[in-house]
Amino acid sequence: MSTALALISALLPLLAAPAPQSGRDKELAPPPLVVDGLTGIPIDIVDLRAALSFDAKAQTAFASATMSFDTTAEGFPLFDLRQREVVKAWLDGESLDPLKLASHTVSKNCGSMRILEVSLPAGSRHELKLEYKVGTPDAPQAQGVLWREKGVLWDTWFSDLNQGRYLESWFPANLIYDQHPMTLTIDLIGAGEDHHLITNGAVEERGKHQWTLTFPPTFTAFSHLIVLVPASEVETAKDKVKLKSGMSVEVEVFARKEAKVNAKKVAARTCEILQKYDEGVGKWAHTSYCPVYIWTGSRSMEYDGGTTTALGALEHEMFHSWYGRGAKPASQNDGWWDEAWNMYVTGGAGRLPEFTKDGPPVLLSSSDPYNRITPGGSYMQGRMFYARLAQAIGDEKLRALMAEFYSAHAPNPATTAEMEQLLIANGGKPDEVRRLFHRYVYGKDGEPSPASGR
Ligand SMILES: [Zn+2]
């Protein structure tokens, strides 16, 4: 074997392996905080194994979940689960009263989190197992399981705009700084027709309406696209695109019939979008399968390498596979830039103005580390922030630096401060970039201190 061949075969397992985690879970966690007299400590979930079963005849759903986690300090672990009916719980194999997992109000921006009322030592690993009935999540504008005459429609239905609307709607989960793998089995019994399982996880079909889904270690609580839908409700089509990197991606579209779209055309359009941003921004950071679920209405949502969307928002939602679910916000205080930059690049209403004077300060990145809401101003006011930046350092330079930011971080979390530092260091106008962040991201009047825009 030649040296070159030996090198290639040594590299092969690395190339085949999924992208590694950033390893920054503990570093990106917020500080401990006292809630209702308990010292709540952030945790680092290392693995989540769950099972979800639907009984279409009885119209009931039940779940079990086992969460392995490390503590980041000494105290009472913080996590979230917005299902109300926890029937049984165990900590490290010992039965635990579900009342010791109650929800507590953390802050206005955070809403509530559950606190495990057992004090655990710093740097220790534990396993929490829960069994619970599945109903409508206890979160703003949540949607429960939609029972059909012959089956079920279930959608993870994530949202950035309300608390408790990510993975915690259905399974024990953490805030979005935390990356970890997940294995989920889904079983559907009693269905009177075929169903499609639409997901960005790897799927193993164990039998009729029995699936095992595996999600990679780079996912955070907002990553998981899962829709279970009666086959009679959707049209499907597939297409394939070869990206600049040499990777081939298969796009599969599931279009709801009432959306009245041509699934084949949507698949072809999605392939064009993938090609455009793989070339124009950076390498696609996801798997070789991209699911797209098309519906009617104004609500749309991005996931890692896939979307559930109205047709009009397809490009916006797919662009989030670069910013938002490629380079991921490390906290909801970083959730503004994926909307703002998206609006700047993929359009939004009207031409960008020429700025001749300052506007009022705009707060897009709060200082509450437990914040869980992306502010509404992220879209239009955020777009204007990037327009001001472009006016200061040049549109071309801004796009190049944002592409650099993407490549440096995808598929891992990144912070507002990291973006700010990159633009200050390489934008050529450090004082003006710092001033723009200070006023239009941190919402502060006056001049920033030289060390930081905050
Ligand atoms: Zn968006």
Side-chain angles (χ1 to χ4, degrees), residues 302 316-317 320 338-339 342 379:
E302 65 273 17
H316 175 103
E317 301 307 332
H320 276 308
D338 67 69
E339 298 304 350
N342 197 329
Y379 296 82

Side-chain angles (χ1 to χ4, degrees), residues 275-348:
Q275 208 150 32
K276 178 174 168 185
Y277 295 117
D278 178 77
E279 263 189 65
V281 176
K283 191 171 170 261
W284 174 251
H286 311 283
T287 69
S288 57
Y289 175 77
C290 170
V292 174
Y293 181 58
I294 300 285
W295 57 35
T296 53
S298 58
R299 190 186 169 280
S300 297
M301 192 59 195
E302 65 273 17
Y303 295 89
D304 294 36
T307 178
T308 58
T309 183
L311 185 59
L314 179 65
E315 183 164 355
H316 175 103
E317 301 307 332
M318 286 311 305
F319 186 74
H320 276 308
S321 277
W322 278 265
Y323 298 90
R325 302 299 177 265
K328 298 173 165 72
S331 79
Q332 218 61 51
N333 294 330
D334 311 302
W336 67 273
W337 47 253
D338 67 69
E339 298 304 350
W341 182 242
N342 197 329
M343 294 297 282
Y344 182 80
V345 175
T346 71

Side-chain angles (χ1 to χ4, degrees), residues 232-308:
S232 62
E233 296 186 11
V234 293
E235 302 281 359
T236 69
K238 285 183 182 176
D239 206 338
K240 209 162 196 169
V241 59
K242 186 148 191 192
L243 301 176
K244 197 177 142 202
S245 56
M247 183 179 184
S248 282
V249 177
E250 181 181 64
V251 171
E252 187 166 22
V253 171
F254 301 82
R256 293 198 57 77
K257 285 183 179 169
E258 69 271 17
K260 294 193 170 59
V261 300
N262 180 327
K264 229 179 151 43
K265 279 190 185 162
V266 178
R269 174 74 191 122
T270 308
C271 286
E272 285 170 17
I273 295 168
L274 290 186
Q275 208 150 32
K276 178 174 168 185
Y277 295 117
D278 178 77
E279 263 189 65
V281 176
K283 191 171 170 261
W284 174 251
H286 311 283
T287 69
S288 57
Y289 175 77
C290 170
V292 174
Y293 181 58
I294 300 285
W295 57 35
T296 53
S298 58
R299 190 186 169 280
S300 297
M301 192 59 195
E302 65 273 17
Y303 295 89
D304 294 36
T307 178
T308 58

